[in-house]
Amino acid sequence: MKIDIHTHIMPDKMPNWVKKFGYGDFIHLEHRNCKACMMKGDKLFREVEPNCFDATERLKDMERTGVDKQVLSTIPVLFNYWAKPEDGLETSRFFNDHIADTVSKDPGSFIGIGTVPLQDIGKAIEEMERCVLQLGFPGLEIGSNINGINLGDASFFPFYQRAEELGCALFIHPWEM
């Protein structure tokens, strides 16, 4: 069995959190002239292919490349560690719900891992518990540092302790190096 553990996904429709929250460079997706554009604030961040947000296209790619399962995770630029904690929690929940929905439609092909607002350990633990206990995720994807703070900092230890108690795997993705 071939399992691809590094496959990022995003919803094809996202709120414009810049307008909602009134600050920052939150990413949203705009579909323009048959292209999907990741927008950071009002500037083009990156064009993406349909397989970045369309599970049907992703399944075609899996068949073509002989991959049996994909572990779906958030695109790191969507971690939003710089955001206010309550806004980071809202965006994390949105992305986690999307991944859970995608997995529920084809659990034979997809496994989901969540994201959490690690800028606030209490909120991160709350969302980790929801990911594991309610959404059924076996783990989380986290960045290699949180706003310039190394993952070895003691402030993260309660988070790691709870992850261990839950049996929650942590996939550490290079971030803002």
Side-chain angles (χ1 to χ4, degrees):
M1 176 178 282
K2 286 186 184 177
I3 301 174
D4 188 344
I5 66 163
H6 189 185
T7 57
H8 299 304
I9 192 167
M10 63 192 278
D12 67 336
K13 293 177 180 59
M14 291 187 276
N16 186 328
W17 284 300
V18 173
K19 290 181 181 174
K20 179 176 183 177
F21 300 142
Y23 72 96
D25 285 330
F26 292 93
I27 298 288
H28 66 278
L29 193 63
E30 292 183 6
H31 298 272
R32 303 175 174 180
N33 301 321
C34 300
K35 295 183 181 185
C37 301
M38 288 177 73
M39 304 298 293
K40 190 172 188 176
D42 62 353
K43 294 182 176 63
L44 177 66
F45 175 73
R46 177 185 309 153
E47 281 186 20
V48 295
E49 300 296 321
N51 64 356
C52 193
F53 54 85
D54 184 330
T56 303
E57 291 298 318
R58 187 171 287 265
L59 290 166
K60 290 177 191 175
D61 287 348
M62 290 169 63
E63 184 175 332
R64 189 182 82 254
T65 58
V67 170
D68 298 297
K69 280 189 183 268
Q70 287 187 343
V71 177
L72 304 179
S73 60
T74 299
I75 300 170
V77 73
L78 302 175
F79 288 153
N80 298 326
Y81 292 147
W82 52 267
K84 294 175 186 174
E86 62 273 7
D87 300 337
L89 178 60
E90 182 175 326
T91 61
S92 292
R93 284 180 167 250
F94 181 82
F95 297 124
N96 293 336
D97 287 346
H98 169 258
I99 290 172
D101 182 61
T102 303
V103 170
S104 75
K105 291 175 182 168
D106 194 342
S109 299
F110 302 123
I111 299 166
I113 59 175
T115 187
V116 296
L118 268 173
Q119 65 269 48
D120 182 293
I121 299 304
K123 288 184 179 359
I125 290 172
E126 173 188 334
E127 185 58 9
M128 173 173 49
E129 289 172 344
R130 188 178 85 90
C131 284
V132 173
L133 300 174
Q134 293 179 22
L135 301 180
F137 293 166
L140 301 174
E141 172 195 33
I142 63 173
S144 55
N145 76 82
I146 312 306
N147 297 324
I149 301 171
N150 188 308
L151 293 177
D153 190 90
S155 64
F156 296 113
F157 292 179
F159 174 78
Y160 301 142
Q161 176 66 40
R162 187 63 180 134
E164 183 178 17
E165 292 167 359
L166 291 168
C168 180
L170 298 176
F171 170 49
I172 300 171
H173 194 291
W175 180 244
E176 302 266 321
M177 299 177 58

